[in-house]
Amino acid sequence: MDQVDDKSVAAESPAEVEFEVAGEAAQLSLGARLATLLRPHRGVVYLRGDLGAGKTTLVRGLLRGLGYQGAVRSPTYTLIEPYEAVDPPVVHLDLYRLADPEELDYLGLRDLLERPGLILIEWPERGAGALPPADLELLIEHAGDRRRIRLNACAHLTSVLSALSDQAAALD
């Protein structure tokens, strides 16, 4: 059975919340709920985690939550995958194959940052020094057959984390 357990932590800052999810459907659902809450916002979202942790699965859920019905693939080889037909527009980057952060200039990072919408970045550590700070950061870790997802938000997105936590509590 796929499920999401709210494991909200009393962190030093109200800008952090943690969930455990069991199964792909639960991870997609969490992404969709996050999309609903992020819809009025714009900014940069970092997705961190080992290979196979489910970063792209969470992105797929987020895009489904914004109404996108097409295929959502990891941009491991293309590095950038834009989704203009959703509101807000989304650009999904996967920097795993990036050899040097300076390559982001050639990919048009400055232009991407000037556009309205959400920029979802997998493997942001590969672009260290060239990327802006994250407005929201997700760390996805293996926890047996589950995934532990920790979300950290900057001050203007703490309400998103509070609402996400409240929604999870209401579903239990």
Side-chain angles (χ1 to χ4, degrees), residues 4 24-34 61 171:
V4 176
E24 182 178 351
Q27 202 162 346
L28 291 168
S29 175
L30 182 62
R33 288 187 293 155
L34 185 59
L171 293 175

Side-chain angles (χ1 to χ4, degrees), residues 32 39 59-73 83-87:
R39 187 179 296 272
V59 168
R60 185 176 303 113
L62 193 145
L63 285 164
R64 294 284 183 262
L66 294 175
Y68 184 77
Q69 296 303 313
V72 177
R73 293 177 283 281
Y83 298 91
E84 299 291 334
V86 295
D87 181 34

Side-chain angles (χ1 to χ4, degrees), residues 67-85:
Y68 184 77
Q69 296 303 313
V72 177
R73 293 177 283 281
S74 175
T76 301
Y77 294 100
T78 60
L79 299 179
I80 299 173
E81 201 59 53
Y83 298 91
E84 299 291 334

Side-chain angles (χ1 to χ4, degrees), residues 1-6 19-39 54-67 138 140 147 149 151 160 163-165 167-172:
M1 175 182 210
D2 293 328
Q3 62 185 28
V4 176
D5 294 330
D6 179 12
F19 297 92
E20 281 196 12
V21 297
E24 182 178 351
Q27 202 162 346
L28 291 168
S29 175
L30 182 62
R33 288 187 293 155
L34 185 59
T36 302
L37 297 168
L38 285 175
R39 187 179 296 272
K55 296 177 293 294
T56 300
T57 299
L58 201 87
V59 168
R60 185 176 303 113
L62 193 145
L63 285 164
R64 294 284 183 262
L66 294 175
L138 290 83
I140 306 171
R147 297 293 188 269
I149 303 173
L151 297 93
V160 168
L164 189 62
S165 184
Q167 285 180 6
L171 293 175
D172 288 343

Side-chain angles (χ1 to χ4, degrees), residues 5-25:
D5 294 330
D6 179 12
K7 302 285 184 182
S8 300
V9 290
E12 293 103 55
S13 164
E16 180 177 294
V17 67
E18 185 175 296
F19 297 92
E20 281 196 12
V21 297
E24 182 178 351

